[in-house]
Amino acid sequence: IIGGDEAPEHTIPWQVLLNIDGGRGGGMVIADRWIMTAAHNVKTHEGIIASNDTVRIYMGLNDVKALSVLPVYPASVHVHPEYNNPNHANYNNDIALLKLQEPITFQASIMPLCLPAESDTYVPDTMGLVSGFGVTDEGKRRILANKLKYVQLPLVEDETCQNSVTSLKRKRASIPILTSNMFCAGIPEGGKDSCQGDSGSGYVLYDNGRFWAAGIVSWGVECGKQGTYGVYTRVANYLDWIKKTMQEN
Amino acid sequence: CLQRPSSEPLMHGEVQSPQYPQPYPPNLQEQWDLSVPEGYQIRLTFTHLDIEASPGCYHDALIVLYDGKVVGRFCGSENSADGHHPGHEPIISPDNRFTLIFQSDKNNPERHQNVGFSAQYQAIDVDECSAPDPGDGSGPLCDQICLNTLGSYLCSCHHGYELRSDQRTCLLSCGGGIFDEPEGHLFSPGYPNPPPYAVSCQYIISVESGFTVSLNFSDLFYIESVDTDEGPSCLHHWLEVTIPDKEPMKLCGTKSPGLIDTNSNTVKLDYHTDDEGMSNGWSLDYSTHRVRCPIPDKVAKGRVTPMLTEYFYRDYIFVRCNQGYKLMMDGHEIESFSTMCQHNGQWHLTLPECHIIDCGEPEPLLNGGVTFISGVDNQYLSVVQYHCDEPFYYLLGGLNVSFICEADRQWRSNQDPLLRPTCLPVCGRPTKHLSSFQR
């Protein structure tokens, strides 16, 4: 998280820390057996899905140093079937679900995030909250955060986001495509953003006294840079797949 | 040449002279021993008789004998002036036997060929009852009534008498024996007249166990008693009433005992008179009643049905518990209970108890709990309330759901009995919120 703050205990209880083959990622609790994350956390560009025993899940922590005393929750991996990103250029359908073998009991440090309701909408300029254990900034250096951080970011209008990506594409042809299954969040002046290691964490919106999962940290061009935005998977587009996957499993 | 006796006497038959209807040969001596079953006589009828006639039937003859004595000696022919023809009238034997002997001498007149005889015989029933009193002191064949039957007879007696074992003479009937009908009428021999001679009669009333016998003597009661220093005594005549497990009771005098409840299903009555004195006897109607069982106790939290003022042998009662209670017997629950009044006046089972039912522990609720609101030990009408572990879970369908222990031993909700409480997770509501005061 760039430009954010450390999250006090129990403020972001849905946050999940993933460690997959040594790589760090995020996730969010959505039910007592289910974690939602980004597909690219558990499926390599070569199309290989992480085996169950390489996925390590941690919950209920704010400090990664306390990780050793926490239980690891064994889980199975369910990647969206249309996620296909061989050249780092297509993060469409960047969503996956992890099913825990045993249900968890919710408490102050672990609570689920709501899925989007039918009445929930993505209104530009609405402030959202993104969190994670990913890269942060300390002075001029980028370092990996060991404490959970968060930052408030506004939703960006689709056209603004598209213009930003198009502008960047003129300079760098390898920039991934922007699809209707994505949205952007961030500020034009930069300095606040999600970053590497935050992938899979939630971008959440607050409505009527509850937080709901609006997006999944997916990709972006650099982090916190002026004129760039973070790109997030639009969760509301995947409700049918989420429900189907949960019911069938 | 003798006729071979048959194993079973015939009821009828035919006898003919040798070579009949051809002339019989000379020098004959032939005998037939006729017999019919005992109790019958023989009726012998000649259909034809043509035997050389001679004075006194001296030469040729048919001789009919009974018990070695000559009944008739016949010869000649019908309408002949000489000889002795039997005619058409049958000859009846005194009992069931006859012997016929046909004889011819050596001479036969050449000018006339006699064909002999042909006769038929049949058994006719003897009317033994018409036999006169032999007058030898043995008395008539039957003392009172004689019934003739084919081949025999039967003796019978007038009402109030019974045939003795000699099947001939009659004895004044005691009317005794065993009375096993639920009600009946008994009286002494000849009642209300005195019996002609000493009697010793026994009457046993024995009905099914479970019933008791009541004797109701009629007012006209007279059994001779003897006045002694100690008062009237049933010395020579008496009626002894014996009830099991009780001292026998001798009755006599002129006062009717009236009603006697024996409380027993068997009673023995022995009536005795001697050759002297005068007793007109007694008469009674007996009836039976079912044994009474005690009124059953009340059953707490239950009821006994049917509720009657009295209970008798073979009556059934049932015990049902009030709603929310169960039948318990000897520490075990029973589905239903009934007991029957036995023949000994006792209920065959003791009454059960009614214990309050319980619904058992209410099902635990995952991520929640259950609280007792009222009641004891999960018993009938106890109320529990489910709740979820707030703020992380909430109860599906409502804030709190109360369940009551119903009579069917199920915890049921007054809202939706089919809905099992479920705790759903609360999403998106952290217990602590990010606070940012800096602007």
Side-chain angles (χ1 to χ4, degrees):
Chain A
I1 296 293
I2 305 297
D5 296 308
E6 285 184 11
E9 276 193 340
H10 305 167
T11 53
I12 308 175
W14 50 83
Q15 182 67 50
V16 172
L17 173 65
L18 297 180
N19 188 298
I20 300 158
D21 272 342
R24 185 178 290 188
M28 63 203 105
V29 180
I30 58 169
D32 60 2
R33 278 178 179 270
W34 293 92
I35 308 294
M36 187 162 67
T37 187
H40 76 259
N41 277 345
V42 290
K43 187 175 181 181
T44 66
H45 300 294
E46 291 79 27
I48 298 169
I49 295 174
S51 60
N52 296 347
D53 55 349
T54 59
V55 178
R56 299 174 71 82
I57 300 170
Y58 302 94
M59 288 176 271
L61 82 165
N62 279 47
D63 190 342
V64 179
K65 289 177 181 171
L67 175 147
S68 58
V69 299
L70 292 175
V72 178
Y73 299 88
S76 56
V77 179
H78 302 264
V79 179
H80 192 281
E82 292 173 42
Y83 173 72
N84 184 23
N85 188 14
N87 300 315
H88 304 262
N90 188 351
Y91 286 87
N92 196 24
N93 307 311
D94 191 11
I95 184 170
L97 292 172
L98 308 177
K99 188 195 172 192
L100 305 177
Q101 284 184 10
E102 299 296 332
I104 47 177
T105 301
F106 297 130
Q107 49 189 297
S109 60
I110 304 172
M111 275 188 77
L113 186 60
C114 302
L115 288 172
E118 283 189 13
S119 59
D120 289 329
T121 53
Y122 293 76
V123 178
D125 299 328
T126 305
M127 291 302 286
L129 182 146
V130 62
S131 56
F133 291 96
V135 166
T136 185
D137 53 348
E138 193 172 290
K140 297 287 181 183
R141 292 180 297 147
R142 293 277 168 86
I143 61 169
L144 196 60
N146 281 327
K147 290 192 176 173
L148 179 64
K149 295 192 75 178
Y150 72 96
V151 67
Q152 304 268 10
L153 295 173
L155 255 166
V156 174
E157 201 170 38
D158 288 344
E159 187 181 351
T160 305
C161 184
Q162 184 63 60
N163 290 339
S164 166
V165 172
T166 305
S167 169
L168 290 169
K169 261 186 176 295
R170 289 193 197 104
K171 301 172 187 172
R172 291 166 61 178
S174 60
I175 290 176
I177 57 168
L178 190 70
T179 71
S180 60
N181 292 322
M182 305 169 187
F183 69 89
C184 290
I187 51 176
E189 61 268 40
K192 288 186 176 182
D193 203 356
S194 55
C195 201
Q196 278 71 35
D198 294 326
S199 288
S201 297
Y203 174 86
V204 302
L205 291 173
Y206 188 74
D207 179 63
N208 198 22
R210 84 196 209 291
F211 289 96
W212 59 278
I216 302 169
V217 178
S218 182
W219 61 279
V221 179
E222 301 188 19
C223 302
K225 194 174 180 185
Q226 187 177 356
T228 65
Y229 303 100
V231 184
Y232 299 83
T233 304
R234 191 182 287 261
V235 176
N237 288 11
Y238 295 95
L239 284 180
D240 289 345
W241 175 76
I242 293 168
K243 288 176 184 172
K244 179 171 179 285
T245 302
M246 290 170 74
Q247 285 170 359
E248 289 179 356
N249 294 279
Chain B
C1 181
L2 297 175
Q3 188 175 20
R4 184 164 53 179
S6 61
S7 57
E8 291 219 0
L10 300 171
M11 292 298 285
H12 58 84
E14 190 176 37
V15 184
Q16 292 175 332
S17 56
Q19 299 180 16
Y20 181 87
Q22 300 300 316
Y24 55 83
N27 289 323
L28 279 177
Q29 175 78 24
E30 188 156 347
Q31 178 175 324
W32 294 267
D33 288 317
L34 307 182
S35 67
V36 293
E38 286 195 10
Y40 290 84
Q41 291 173 300
I42 295 175
R43 178 161 67 185
L44 183 66
T45 305
F46 289 95
T47 56
H48 189 68
L49 188 136
D50 178 20
I51 301 171
E52 180 188 354
S54 61
C57 298
Y58 179 74
H59 296 295
D60 294 355
L62 174 66
I63 306 164
V64 181
L65 299 105
Y66 169 72
D67 203 17
K69 295 175 184 172
V70 175
V71 174
R73 188 181 184 98
F74 305 107
C75 61
S77 60
E78 193 177 6
N79 302 323
S80 67
D82 49 2
H84 182 217
H85 192 274
H88 295 292
E89 287 300 314
I91 303 170
I92 308 297
S93 67
D95 64 9
N96 64 328
R97 291 172 288 115
F98 253 158
T99 300
L100 302 183
I101 297 175
F102 181 67
Q103 64 183 32
S104 64
D105 62 7
K106 60 183 179 181
N107 297 317
N108 260 355
E110 295 176 356
R111 59 182 174 83
H112 184 73
Q113 296 287 300
N114 299 100
V115 298
F117 74 96
S118 172
Q120 290 183 330
Y121 71 92
Q122 68 179 111
I124 57 172
D125 181 44
V126 176
D127 184 6
E128 292 89 349
C129 295
S130 62
D133 187 341
D136 56 0
S138 61
L141 197 58
C142 292
D143 207 3
Q144 292 187 352
I145 299 169
C146 182
L147 300 168
N148 181 44
T149 62
L150 281 176
S152 184
Y153 67 99
L154 286 173
C155 294
S156 180
C157 300
H158 294 297
H159 179 69
Y161 292 82
E162 57 191 36
L163 197 62
R164 285 178 188 268
S165 58
D166 63 4
Q167 301 297 313
R168 191 179 72 80
T169 56
C170 294
L171 176 69
L172 189 67
S173 171
C174 279
I178 296 176
F179 295 79
D180 57 5
E181 294 296 319
E183 55 188 26
H185 180 70
L186 281 68
F187 55 94
S188 58
Y191 180 87
N193 301 312
Y197 44 79
V199 295
S200 181
C201 298
Q202 187 175 74
Y203 307 81
I204 295 172
I205 303 172
S206 178
V207 296
E208 185 184 346
S209 61
F211 290 81
T212 60
V213 176
S214 293
L215 308 175
N216 191 6
F217 286 88
S218 57
D219 291 339
L220 186 56
F221 180 92
Y222 178 53
I223 299 174
E224 182 188 271
S225 62
V226 176
D227 288 326
T228 66
D229 295 342
E230 297 169 355
S233 170
C234 307
L235 196 59
H236 305 297
H237 296 190
W238 64 77
L239 174 64
E240 187 176 65
V241 179
T242 306
I243 299 165
D245 303 324
K246 289 184 182 173
E247 280 294 311
M249 150 170 76
K250 274 187 176 174
L251 304 174
C252 60
T254 57
K255 188 172 184 302
S256 168
L259 183 67
I260 298 176
D261 286 323
T262 66
N263 291 320
S264 168
N265 68 317
T266 61
V267 187
K268 191 174 74 174
L269 300 165
D270 288 294
Y271 183 51
H272 170 83
T273 66
D274 62 10
D275 292 338
E276 298 177 357
M278 180 75 76
S279 289
N280 292 74
W282 50 270
S283 146
L284 65 84
D285 290 303
Y286 78 87
S287 57
T288 52
H289 307 279
R290 287 189 291 164
V291 167
R292 192 194 315 265
C293 274
I295 301 285
D297 294 334
K298 282 189 163 49
V299 177
K301 303 298 182 186
R303 62 191 185 283
V304 176
T305 57
M307 281 296 288
L308 304 174
T309 53
E310 291 177 305
Y311 295 88
F312 297 101
Y313 172 55
R314 285 182 178 163
D315 278 348
Y316 273 88
I317 56 171
F318 302 86
V319 174
R320 291 185 175 83
C321 291
N322 296 346
Q323 178 163 296
Y325 289 81
K326 59 187 177 183
L327 283 167
M328 293 290 289
M329 197 166 193
D330 299 329
H332 298 285
E333 185 180 353
I334 52 175
E335 280 196 7
S336 61
F337 176 85
S338 66
T339 182
M340 190 190 76
C341 178
Q342 297 182 119
H343 63 83
N344 60 359
Q346 299 295 319
W347 296 103
H348 90 282
L349 290 173
T350 55
L351 294 186
E353 296 174 341
C354 288
H355 291 184
I356 193 166
I357 59 106
D358 72 79
C359 291
E361 288 293 327
E363 280 193 40
L365 178 60
L366 183 65
N367 296 315
V370 58
T371 308
F372 276 90
I373 303 300
S374 64
V376 181
D377 296 337
N378 306 319
Q379 289 176 348
Y380 176 57
L381 296 183
S382 293
V383 178
V384 296
Q385 194 173 61
Y386 281 97
H387 63 270
C388 292
D389 294 338
E390 293 176 333
F392 309 108
Y393 295 89
Y394 70 100
L395 199 63
L396 176 65
L399 291 175
N400 292 306
V401 180
S402 294
F403 279 71
I404 188 165
C405 177
E406 299 280 10
D408 62 356
R409 304 180 201 197
Q410 300 291 324
W411 290 101
R412 290 186 189 280
S413 165
N414 49 4
Q415 296 174 7
D416 185 350
L418 298 177
L419 187 69
R420 289 186 62 189
T422 306
C423 288
L424 295 180
V426 171
C427 68
R429 296 178 192 271
T431 53
K432 284 170 82 175
H433 288 271
L434 295 165
S435 56
S436 172
F437 299 105
Q438 190 172 330
R439 301 290 170 84

